[in-house]
Amino acid sequence: MFGNKTITGSNLPTRKKITVLAKEAECYLSEANYEKSFITSRLALQQALTINDDYLIARSYKNIASTYEDLFEYEKAVFYYKKGLVYADKTRNDTIKHAFNNNLGNIYCFEKKQFDKGLNYYKKSLEYGYKIADTSQVFITELNLAWAYFYTKNFEKGKSYLDFINTYKSKYGDKTTMVALNMLNGMYYGEKAEYKKAKSFFLEAIKLGNEGDQKWDLSYSHEEYAMLLMKMGNYKEAYENLVLFNKIKADLDNSDRQKKANAAGVNLELDEYKRKVDVIEHENELQYKSLQQSRIIVILFLIISGVFLLLIYSLYKNYNFKKKKNSELIVANEQLSTAKEKAEVASQLKSQFVSTITHELRTPLYGVLGITNMLLDEHKELANSPHLSSLKFSARYLLSLVNDVLQINKIEENRIVLENLTFNIADEINMIKNSLSFIAKNHSNSINVNIDPKIPEYLIGDKLRFSQILINLVSNALKFTKNGDININAHLIKIENRLHYIEFKIQDNGVGIAEEDQEKIFEKFVQIGRKEIDYQGTGLGLSIVKRLLELFNSTISLESKIGEGTTFTFTIAFDYDTIKTTSLINNIQVDLTTGQMFKVLVVDDNAINQLVTKKIIEKHNYKCTVVDSGLSALEILETAQFDVILMDINMPLMNGFETTRRIRKKGIDTPVIALTAYDKEEISEEAISAGINDILIKPFAVSLLVKTINQLIYKVKEGTLV
Ligand code: ADP
């Protein structure tokens, strides 16, 4: 019956069922069936606790407390009333709150005789009574209050309550309250010495008491009436009433005893009941705790899930963000790589364009220069013609510009690789000095060369690039100096392994360079405007110098003061190798200008070039045959023999490489010198594979052409031609 029922959704008792149980318990109590009242209210309590219904819990406690009260177990009654009151206070039901307070007031005032506490409970009960606007409930409490005050002889305070019950007696008074009401009036008027009035009230109370069931009230009425009669001096009647009081009380005590005796069986079990109620409460507490715990677990779970969801959400967002960024990056990368490709293509196109244009320019320029020279040679009277010299100057200027642009272009494309050649540094510098002596004279400058004797005679390095650096710097010095000195200093500063670090200083005492221009002049096409000096430059010289020095892993520095002069300084590490040097020294230069008549075949499609080359060849006493295509060359070689072939590379239909290849196929070993506007590096591989023996870059120095021709013919004769 009292099994440990756990809370499961479907088995939960309904409010209705519990209310029925509570009512049942109240019925048992009114029938004085205490045991059943206990069992039923305890069951109601257990079920009310399981569904956590404060009102029904309070009501069950009230029934338990009332049962104890009926069994004179006031302590326990107070205990359960108070417990119930806690639950009742949680509800909005003022009726039950009123009942709890009223009952507690009863016990405190009339059983425990603690009037202060009791009165407080009554007053609280009254507050709730007024709230529920149920004057019948209020009526009883007001009556109780009046009685409590009168009992303690506090008639003034009790009067207002008496007035209230007198006012409402016809409406709310019934047989159960009328005895007490009349008795209280009797007491009041007795106190006020209105004996007649008092007497009639007491007599009415006794009359009603005898008619009804309110035997306790009847007994008290006799007692109080006896006291009034005593006061009135009517001792006989007073005695008679006291006898009646005692008799009724004795009867009632008897029946109470009987009741107690009846309840004894119950009493024995009272503690057991209490213990069981405690167990119910304990279980409920445990359930509550576990409910709390599971609530905490659920809350924690929810929080963790929330955090987890947030985490997943942020991961998801992050992932999406990354994905988006990644795809953006991929797109950007693609765009970049296409842009890069485009830029590369553009740059390739640009350099191709520059290289094609410059090559194309070099060929006609070569013609212009050649023809100018021819004109000067043939018509000595024109030597002083300003037009001709201006033509020659312009052609040279154009050629140098074209060469400079080509070179810068090549450096920027990283197409220049330094060569390692053995050379004599002193010779090289002096050669430069000599070749520039003409410009030096023009400006009345003198060039002084100062070479450290510690520098070995022969060094290994790219002498061509080195010369170019030096030529640029010295010719600048010459251009910007008048009546001055230009010093070329070479100084050995250190030797590391075989590397000889030589510091070069090109010093002039010319116009100088302003400080603010000293950085700029190394940029491409930068020239500093100089009104006083009329010179032609491309603005590329120093940028070529700077870039060439970078190839040598070197940098250039400059010191200059306006009006005082300029010094450019740089250091180059040249290799020094005795074995190479010795072999070079042993390779004696042979002068082959024997005046012997050699036969030269010139293969060139350009009429002007044909003319220029022919003139040069014939001027040096060689016999020259000219053909204008590769095919004609092959044809003529069928019948005629030549000592050397000068082969133009750029020819339509069959270029110089192809022609040479075919010549070699025929088994003709005649040395072939390629004449081209291309740079040596660009074509040397193909030239070698085609069977070309040497390459001359247009425009070439006549002496170089003669020297090359002679060397090759000499090698053929020696049998050393490779
Ligand atoms: P350019 O081919 O026009 O000479 P450069 O790049 O060689 O171009 O020189 C750039 C500028 O630097 C020149 O225009 C000139 O003003 C200045 N410059 C170069 N060398 C000297 C020097 N030794 N003295 C004075 N000015 C110089």
Side-chain angles (χ1 to χ4, degrees):
M1 203 165 165
F2 301 112
N4 292 335
K5 271 195 184 170
T6 45
I7 313 164
T8 53
S10 54
N11 288 338
L12 279 182
T14 59
R15 278 197 91 238
K16 213 170 162 188
K17 247 176 90 184
I18 303 168
T19 313
V20 170
L21 276 176
K23 274 186 187 158
E24 241 175 64
E26 281 151 17
C27 250
Y28 285 132
L29 180 61
S30 66
E31 289 163 7
N33 192 343
Y34 302 115
E35 190 172 359
K36 282 210 164 151
S37 162
F38 265 129
I39 290 166
T40 320
S41 24
R42 202 175 54 204
L43 184 62
L45 174 69
Q46 192 187 31
Q47 296 190 355
L49 282 167
T50 49
I51 64 160
N52 236 334
D53 188 304
D54 291 329
Y55 169 75
L56 288 172
I57 294 170
R59 191 163 165 184
S60 305
Y61 273 129
K62 189 170 138 295
N63 288 340
I64 292 169
S66 300
T67 313
Y68 277 121
E69 193 183 352
D70 258 28
L71 290 170
F72 314 104
E73 289 281 346
Y74 297 115
E75 287 306 323
K76 284 175 185 155
V78 166
F79 175 80
Y80 286 110
Y81 274 135
K82 283 188 175 172
K83 244 181 177 196
L85 186 57
V86 174
Y87 286 95
D89 280 340
K90 288 197 221 170
T91 69
R92 286 201 199 151
N93 190 316
D94 293 326
T95 310
I96 197 161
K97 288 183 209 167
H98 166 269
F100 268 107
N101 282 292
N102 183 65
N103 292 1
L104 277 165
N106 283 344
I107 296 178
Y108 274 106
C109 282
F110 297 105
E111 306 305 335
K112 291 164 88 70
K113 312 285 185 213
Q114 294 176 13
F115 288 97
D116 285 346
K117 271 191 183 175
L119 285 169
N120 274 340
Y121 279 116
Y122 278 143
K123 283 175 186 168
K124 259 219 152 130
S125 169
L126 256 193
E127 276 173 34
Y128 292 119
Y130 280 116
K131 268 194 196 169
I132 49 177
D134 183 351
T135 322
S136 68
Q137 298 293 321
V138 175
F139 186 85
I140 291 170
T141 313
E142 297 262 352
L143 186 141
N144 283 337
L145 270 162
W147 198 338
Y149 278 119
F150 289 179
Y151 194 85
T152 50
K153 306 284 176 216
N154 205 337
F155 289 96
E156 285 319 304
K157 282 196 173 161
K159 172 73 166 55
S160 60
Y161 302 107
L162 182 70
D163 287 345
F164 181 91
I165 48 175
N166 281 335
T167 313
Y168 289 101
K169 66 177 178 194
S170 54
K171 206 169 176 192
Y172 301 109
D174 57 15
K175 279 183 186 166
T176 56
T177 48
M178 274 309 151
V179 181
L181 188 137
N182 279 297
M183 179 194 76
L184 289 173
N185 274 302
M187 281 167 88
Y188 179 75
Y189 289 110
E191 171 64 24
K192 294 279 154 198
E194 290 184 36
Y195 300 126
K196 221 179 151 191
K197 239 180 173 183
K199 208 176 162 182
S200 73
F201 276 117
F202 275 126
L203 288 174
E204 180 65 15
I206 290 164
K207 186 187 147 230
L208 290 172
N210 282 323
E211 284 168 11
D213 292 334
Q214 310 314 112
K215 295 303 173 199
W216 276 110
D217 292 353
L218 175 67
S219 75
Y220 297 137
S221 299
H222 278 299
E223 190 186 18
E224 291 296 331
Y225 185 44
M227 261 139 64
L228 176 83
L229 290 169
M230 289 267 278
K231 230 173 154 187
M232 288 165 65
N234 195 340
Y235 301 111
K236 190 179 167 267
E237 261 188 79
Y239 174 74
E240 282 167 8
N241 273 288
L242 271 180
V243 169
L244 278 172
F245 161 68
N246 278 328
K247 189 184 174 297
I248 297 164
K249 194 172 176 283
D251 284 350
L252 285 173
D253 281 345
N254 253 345
S255 81
D256 278 353
R257 260 196 293 278
Q258 191 62 46
K259 203 156 119 189
K260 278 187 184 169
N262 287 344
V266 179
N267 265 345
L268 285 176
E269 291 171 26
L270 280 187
D271 288 338
E272 177 62 12
Y273 289 154
K274 186 176 180 295
R275 205 183 55 76
K276 282 187 176 163
V277 172
D278 287 347
V279 168
I280 292 168
E281 283 177 342
H282 182 63
E283 269 172 13
N284 187 57
E285 212 168 287
L286 282 182
Q287 276 180 353
Y288 180 73
K289 272 187 188 162
S290 82
L291 202 73
Q292 285 287 90
Q293 273 175 356
S294 49
R295 246 184 224 158
I296 290 171
I297 290 168
V298 168
I299 289 168
L300 272 178
F301 176 76
L302 285 176
I303 291 171
I304 290 168
S305 309
V307 170
F308 198 67
L309 279 175
L310 270 178
L311 203 77
I312 289 174
Y313 179 70
S314 78
L315 279 175
Y316 171 74
K317 275 256 155 191
N318 208 3
Y319 168 76
N320 268 356
F321 179 75
K322 270 193 184 160
K323 206 170 140 190
K324 203 176 144 215
K325 282 285 148 203
N326 263 353
S327 55
E328 278 174 13
L329 275 180
I330 288 168
V331 172
N333 261 350
E334 274 169 9
Q335 284 172 347
L336 276 179
S337 68
T338 34
K340 189 179 159 241
E341 274 165 25
K342 274 186 188 166
E344 275 171 4
V345 169
S347 140
Q348 251 175 16
L349 278 176
K350 181 207 117 196
S351 48
Q352 242 171 38
F353 171 77
V354 172
S355 130
T356 317
I357 288 291
T358 42
H359 282 136
E360 290 304 315
L361 277 172
R362 276 214 287 195
T363 314
L365 276 175
Y366 167 65
V368 174
L369 261 182
I371 287 180
T372 319
N373 284 335
M374 269 166 52
L375 277 174
L376 283 170
D377 275 356
E378 284 171 7
H379 306 277
K380 300 284 184 215
E381 72 278 9
L382 288 176
N384 292 325
S385 153
H387 297 307
L388 209 60
S389 61
S390 149
L391 174 70
K392 194 172 168 183
F393 179 84
S394 302
R396 271 190 194 284
Y397 172 73
L398 262 178
L399 198 63
S400 74
L401 175 68
V402 165
N403 283 336
D404 284 354
V405 170
L406 200 62
Q407 182 141 31
I408 281 273
N409 201 36
K410 276 177 73 176
I411 297 175
E412 282 178 354
E413 278 182 17
N414 297 323
R415 282 201 285 128
I416 287 190
V417 184
L418 293 185
E419 280 181 14
N420 280 329
L421 299 168
T422 305
F423 71 105
N424 181 318
I425 214 159
D427 283 356
E428 211 61 38
I429 295 175
N430 281 315
M431 212 177 75
I432 291 164
K433 177 188 165 182
N434 293 336
S435 64
L436 296 174
S437 59
F438 175 74
I439 320 174
K441 257 185 226 153
N442 270 356
H443 283 184
S444 318
N445 291 323
S446 63
I447 305 174
N448 312 305
V449 176
N450 193 353
I451 295 170
D452 189 344
K454 278 185 243 139
I455 298 173
E457 204 178 350
Y458 288 97
L459 289 170
I460 296 167
D462 196 325
K463 67 166 183 178
L464 274 176
R465 266 64 197 231
F466 163 68
S467 303
Q468 200 178 350
I469 293 166
L470 218 57
I471 289 169
N472 273 330
L473 292 174
V474 177
S475 50
N476 271 351
L478 288 167
K479 274 195 276 182
F480 299 104
T481 310
K482 268 184 181 165
N483 307 317
D485 290 302
I486 282 90
N487 297 322
I488 306 174
N489 295 333
H491 179 65
L492 180 70
I493 49 168
K494 65 170 176 179
I495 304 170
E496 258 176 28
N497 299 324
R498 286 182 339 213
L499 289 178
H500 285 55
Y501 287 81
I502 301 169
E503 185 193 68
F504 298 91
K505 267 188 201 295
I506 290 82
Q507 209 169 32
D508 67 58
N509 49 3
V511 292
I513 304 164
E515 195 156 347
E516 64 267 26
D517 296 329
Q518 292 183 1
E519 281 272 313
K520 278 192 267 172
I521 54 168
F522 292 101
E523 287 166 22
K524 279 192 275 183
F525 299 106
V526 169
Q527 289 176 319
I528 315 293
R530 295 179 193 283
K531 286 173 201 136
E532 68 278 13
I533 297 166
D534 174 31
Y535 83 100
Q536 298 274 327
T538 58
L540 284 169
L542 286 179
S543 28
I544 290 178
V545 166
K546 195 179 163 210
R547 284 171 168 79
L548 284 177
L549 278 170
E550 277 165 12
L551 295 178
F552 280 102
N553 288 328
S554 176
T555 50
I556 189 160
S557 65
L558 103 107
E559 265 176 73
S560 186
K561 257 196 177 162
I562 288 282
E564 285 184 22
T566 310
T567 306
F568 284 95
T569 311
F570 62 91
T571 303
I572 294 183
F574 286 113
D575 198 4
Y576 173 64
D577 187 339
T578 37
I579 303 163
K580 263 195 178 178
T581 309
T582 330
S583 81
L584 191 106
I585 291 166
N586 290 339
N587 193 2
I588 311 142
Q589 294 283 321
V590 187
D591 182 15
L592 290 163
T593 49
T594 52
Q596 213 180 326
M597 188 65 131
F598 294 122
K599 282 187 275 175
V600 180
L601 173 66
V602 175
V603 190
D604 201 325
D605 65 314
N606 186 308
I608 298 170
N609 284 351
Q610 285 174 7
L611 199 68
V612 174
T613 319
K614 195 166 185 256
K615 277 280 167 195
I616 296 169
I617 308 277
E618 284 174 349
K619 201 179 157 196
H620 286 81
N621 290 329
Y622 301 141
K623 200 169 172 282
C624 184
T625 310
V626 177
V627 289
D628 59 2
S629 70
L631 284 173
S632 321
L634 290 167
E635 210 175 291
I636 201 166
L637 281 168
E638 294 282 331
T639 51
Q641 268 207 348
F642 295 90
D643 293 297
V644 77
I645 303 167
L646 300 184
M647 178 76 70
D648 181 32
I649 295 295
N650 246 351
M651 288 185 296
L653 296 175
M654 191 189 292
N655 67 18
F657 299 124
E658 185 56 28
T659 313
T660 314
R661 228 172 267 133
R662 295 210 185 176
I663 292 170
R664 296 291 180 246
K665 260 195 186 163
K666 282 176 181 279
I668 300 166
D669 295 332
T670 313
V672 175
I673 300 170
L675 299 179
T676 176
Y678 286 103
D679 258 16
K680 221 174 188 169
E681 294 87 357
E682 285 173 61
I683 60 161
S684 55
E685 250 178 59
E686 200 175 355
I688 291 165
S689 74
I692 290 169
N693 302 87
D694 212 335
I695 302 164
L696 283 181
I697 307 298
K698 293 183 210 174
F700 42 79
V702 176
S703 57
L704 187 64
L705 174 68
V706 176
K707 200 174 156 191
T708 315
I709 292 174
N710 288 348
Q711 267 180 349
L712 285 175
I713 294 170
Y714 174 78
K715 279 184 184 168
V716 172
K717 292 210 165 152
E718 284 279 291
T720 53
L721 185 73
V722 199

